[in-house]
Amino acid sequence: MNSEGLYLSSYKISFRDDLNEKEEGITPEIKLIIRDVYNKVINKDKNVLDELKDLIRKYPNVPQFKHYLSTYYILNGKNLKAHKINIMTNKEHPDYLFGKLALANDFIDMKLYHKVPKLMGDIMELKNLYPERDEFHFSEVEGFLVTTIRYYIGIKNLEAAESHLAVLKDLSPDYQNLQALQKAIFAITLEKGLERWENEKRMSRTVKAKAKNVVPESKTRPQFENKIIEKLYENSFDISPDLIREILSIDRNTLIEDLHKVLYDSIARFKYFSKHTKWDNKTHNFVPHALFILTEIKSETSLQILLDLFRQDRKFIDYWFSDSTGDLCWQAIYTLGFNRLDAISDYMKEQDRDTYVRAEVSSAVAQIALHNPSRKYEIIDWYREIFNYFLQHQSDNRILDTDLTGLMICDILDLKAKELIPEIETLYQNNLINPGVSGSYTDVLEDFDKPLGYDVKNKIYNIFDKYKDNQRLEPILTDDSDDLENDELEIPQMKIKIGRNDPCPCGSGKKYKKCHGK
């Protein structure tokens, strides 16, 4: 910033010491007095009080002396006296900006926010307040911005506070109370996020998953046609590629039959594993092993067994998949359901199915269209049918879940499937979508036209690359399942535990998993 000043919007920002001196009746003699008195006020010189009163009597048309008297009172904790001086200054010098700002800040401190626009203008713009002026001193602009930000913080207009703070940071990056303003805005962000979450919680409808009894409970491992399948109970994700090749060489029919036994074993012996064993990567990863192999050989007949896994409750899902259901299962859903959208659709309409498992199923179905553009309209029809089913059964709390519909809309946004806007609008009109997941209806319409900031297509792996990719999950799966419910997000000055399905603390109004947790 040079001494000649700079331009902001429709006016020039100046650093001239003589700006406004003529209008405020400041002579060279008075200017020297002002400098001397200012230093005494800042240093809380007790003798300056009488000196200021004498100067006000001697120079009644110079507003600075009244302003300094107010400042002296504030620095000495006499806010009521300062407020009376500010009222007087504003009344006697209605065009003196710092008098307006001092009184406006009083009203902000008193939470009398409705009185602030009467002083600073309804649109809170400096040029609008002084239309005849084309030049303002840097201190005037800085002071006006700071007061405006404090006002917007007070009335909790987050967007306006943030936009004005951005201007202040560019204009005066070294402003001494910048961090305090940032903290106050951040506090409003969290407060609004909490309010929004509480409101959404009141409006939301959540299906509580109930486990479907698909196989009898057991305490013993099943008998396999191919004994090598037992190796799946003895290996983590760093399983030998040679072992996988050997398993893949087994007769297809007996292999599929054995792998179905493995998957059903996770259900039959769930109580045994969860209550009587400690999680170990080598002994407890047989479920993904079986899924990876069935996916590799494209066993479409295995879809119903996979869906039976998904028909269990949240405890089951958390135990076997933790927070990695999508990572471990999306390609299985994609491959096994590639030609069985009818079966997947039936599953999505069932009562008592887990919200976030159904959401992962939806995401996998969207991937069919993303990887195969020729099937986009088929997938759009798939979503349309399910949405219409939800609308027809919206009174059924065992089917309709507002988080699920919001997450499905996120998938539709990835597809840029504007053809579904009529159904989406109807869902919003009937309060069947949690806006904390996908945003408001207006947000969704805007998001359809925004370019995607990330690659929406998941990478399709062969089984060996999939094992390499999923080895990164093993340190996560070693943790207790309760801890896996949360991701830790670093926030300036504080640390908060954020659940993947909690509101994102950035204030976007979206779920953490669909915002900064993406």
Side-chain angles (χ1 to χ4, degrees):
M1 225 178 273
N2 58 52
S3 59
E4 295 179 357
L6 67 152
Y7 287 88
L8 180 70
S9 183
S10 57
Y11 56 83
K12 180 181 180 181
I13 300 176
S14 171
F15 298 90
R16 288 170 43 203
D17 289 340
D18 60 346
L19 189 67
N20 301 328
E21 285 186 354
K22 183 178 180 181
E23 293 81 354
E24 294 171 3
I26 298 176
T27 64
E29 176 190 5
I30 293 175
K31 190 172 183 177
L32 292 173
I33 297 172
I34 286 175
R35 288 178 180 174
D36 178 60
V37 169
Y38 173 78
N39 289 327
K40 292 178 180 177
V41 169
I42 295 301
N43 292 314
K44 300 182 184 180
D45 187 334
K46 294 181 180 179
N47 297 322
V48 78
L49 179 60
D50 291 334
E51 184 177 356
L52 280 170
K53 291 180 179 179
D54 290 339
L55 289 168
I56 291 170
R57 295 188 193 99
K58 186 175 182 180
Y59 302 105
N61 294 323
V62 178
Q64 278 87 339
F65 295 128
K66 295 165 188 158
H67 181 56
Y68 289 167
L69 179 59
S70 167
T71 303
Y72 176 83
Y73 281 138
I74 290 174
L75 291 175
N76 287 276
K78 299 180 179 180
N79 292 354
L80 182 57
K81 286 188 174 182
H83 180 57
K84 290 180 179 178
I85 296 297
N86 290 336
I87 294 173
M88 178 184 72
T89 303
N90 191 66
K91 182 177 181 181
E92 296 180 358
H93 308 278
D95 293 329
Y96 180 55
L97 176 59
F98 290 107
K100 289 179 182 293
L101 298 181
L103 187 55
N105 279 292
D106 283 350
F107 290 143
I108 292 170
D109 291 336
M110 296 181 217
K111 295 182 170 48
L112 300 174
Y113 303 114
H114 65 284
K115 294 190 175 185
V116 176
K118 296 177 183 178
L119 291 166
M120 300 179 62
D122 290 332
I123 64 172
M124 298 285 167
E125 215 289 316
L126 192 52
K127 175 65 175 176
N128 187 69
L129 194 60
Y130 296 94
E132 73 287 354
R133 291 181 60 180
D134 296 316
E135 186 175 2
F136 294 90
H137 193 270
F138 173 84
S139 60
E140 291 180 299
V141 179
E142 182 186 66
F144 191 87
L145 278 171
V146 170
T147 305
T148 302
I149 293 167
R150 292 192 70 228
Y151 166 71
Y152 283 129
I153 289 172
I155 65 171
K156 300 181 181 179
N157 186 333
L158 188 59
E159 184 177 356
E162 289 177 330
S163 64
H164 282 75
L165 181 68
V167 177
L168 178 64
K169 288 169 74 173
D170 287 341
L171 177 74
S172 184
D174 297 324
Y175 174 66
Q176 61 179 353
N177 291 323
L178 192 63
Q179 189 177 25
L181 293 174
Q182 290 174 317
K183 285 184 177 181
I185 289 176
F186 182 70
I188 298 296
T189 301
L190 290 181
E191 182 181 343
K192 281 186 170 289
L194 181 60
E195 289 174 358
R196 184 164 45 237
W197 180 78
E198 291 287 354
N199 183 57
E200 289 164 4
K201 189 176 180 181
R202 286 192 295 271
M203 300 292 292
S204 67
R205 295 165 58 181
T206 302
V207 172
K208 185 174 181 180
K210 296 179 182 178
K212 182 177 181 180
N213 186 12
V214 294
V215 290
E217 184 180 338
S218 175
K219 295 181 180 180
T220 59
R221 184 184 296 181
Q223 296 295 313
F224 300 113
E225 183 75 17
N226 302 283
K227 194 168 180 62
I228 195 174
I229 294 298
E230 295 182 0
K231 294 291 185 181
L232 299 183
Y233 290 80
E234 301 168 10
N235 282 274
S236 62
F237 286 128
D238 63 357
I239 190 170
S240 167
D242 290 335
L243 176 58
I244 294 299
R245 291 188 186 95
E246 187 176 354
I247 293 174
L248 289 172
S249 67
I250 297 173
D251 172 73
R252 179 183 175 88
N253 292 331
T254 61
L255 174 59
I256 291 174
E257 184 179 346
D258 279 346
L259 292 175
H260 288 178
K261 290 180 181 178
V262 171
L263 294 180
Y264 277 135
D265 186 34
S266 69
I267 302 174
R269 290 200 290 160
F270 172 61
K271 187 179 291 186
Y272 163 76
F273 281 109
S274 60
K275 292 188 175 182
H276 302 292
T277 71
K278 183 177 180 181
W279 180 277
D280 187 287
N281 285 328
K282 287 189 174 182
T283 58
H284 287 63
N285 269 322
F286 55 88
V287 176
H289 286 319
L291 289 177
F292 290 176
I293 297 169
L294 289 168
T295 301
E296 183 70 12
I297 63 176
K298 298 182 179 178
S299 174
E300 293 186 357
T301 59
S302 303
L303 176 64
Q304 285 300 337
I305 288 80
L306 174 60
L307 294 179
D308 276 345
L309 292 185
F310 293 163
R311 291 182 172 104
Q312 304 309 303
D313 59 19
R314 174 45 52 180
K315 288 182 180 180
F316 177 91
I317 299 299
D318 281 344
Y319 187 81
W320 291 116
F321 301 111
S322 187
D323 216 22
S324 305
T325 312
D327 293 294
L328 296 173
C329 298
W330 88 263
Q331 197 169 327
I333 303 166
Y334 174 95
T335 302
L336 306 184
F338 194 81
N339 298 311
R340 294 295 313 281
L341 291 180
D342 55 338
I344 298 178
S345 177
D346 290 342
Y347 166 79
M348 295 290 287
K349 299 171 189 173
E350 290 179 13
Q351 292 179 326
D352 306 325
R353 301 288 78 91
D354 184 82
T355 299
Y356 300 102
V357 172
R358 284 195 287 173
E360 297 293 0
V361 171
S362 168
S363 296
V365 169
Q367 288 296 317
I368 294 177
L370 291 170
H371 283 274
N372 306 272
S374 62
R375 297 190 66 182
K376 179 177 178 180
Y377 293 107
E378 178 187 358
I379 300 303
I380 287 174
D381 286 340
W382 183 86
Y383 277 103
R384 182 178 287 116
E385 180 195 357
I386 292 173
F387 283 163
N388 285 329
Y389 187 87
F390 287 167
L391 286 165
Q392 293 164 9
H393 296 80
Q394 59 182 282
S395 61
D396 192 335
N397 290 325
R398 295 172 63 188
I399 296 175
L400 200 288
D401 189 295
T402 53
D403 278 7
L404 172 63
T405 51
L407 289 165
M408 291 175 72
I409 286 174
C410 293
D411 297 325
I412 290 168
L413 288 171
D414 287 347
L415 292 174
K416 295 297 182 184
K418 290 186 177 182
E419 295 84 352
L420 291 166
I421 287 177
E423 285 77 18
I424 292 172
E425 181 179 15
T426 305
L427 287 168
Y428 271 105
Q429 288 173 344
N430 286 273
N431 296 317
L432 302 181
I433 294 175
N434 183 351
V437 177
S438 54
S440 66
Y441 177 62
T442 301
D443 293 332
V444 170
L445 294 182
E446 292 175 353
D447 286 345
F448 268 123
D449 294 322
K450 289 179 182 178
L452 293 167
Y454 54 94
D455 186 4
V456 295
K457 289 172 63 174
N458 292 347
K459 186 174 180 179
I460 296 177
Y461 294 99
N462 63 46
I463 191 169
F464 303 106
D465 288 338
K466 187 142 188 81
Y467 272 114
K468 289 178 183 177
D469 181 64
N470 279 278
Q471 283 177 22
R472 63 187 171 82
L473 294 174
E474 292 198 334
I476 299 174
L477 294 171
T478 308
D479 293 341
D480 292 335
S481 58
D482 287 344
D483 294 336
L484 289 165
E485 287 294 314
N486 302 296
D487 290 325
E488 196 170 80
L489 180 68
E490 186 72 26
I491 304 292
Q493 306 301 320
M494 62 183 72
K495 217 177 231 186
I496 302 176
K497 279 288 194 177
I498 311 274
R500 278 169 54 78
N501 299 307
D502 288 342
C504 188
C506 77
S508 67
K510 296 184 179 183
K511 293 285 183 181
Y512 176 54
K513 69 185 289 183
K514 287 293 181 179
C515 192
H516 281 82
K518 194 169 183 67

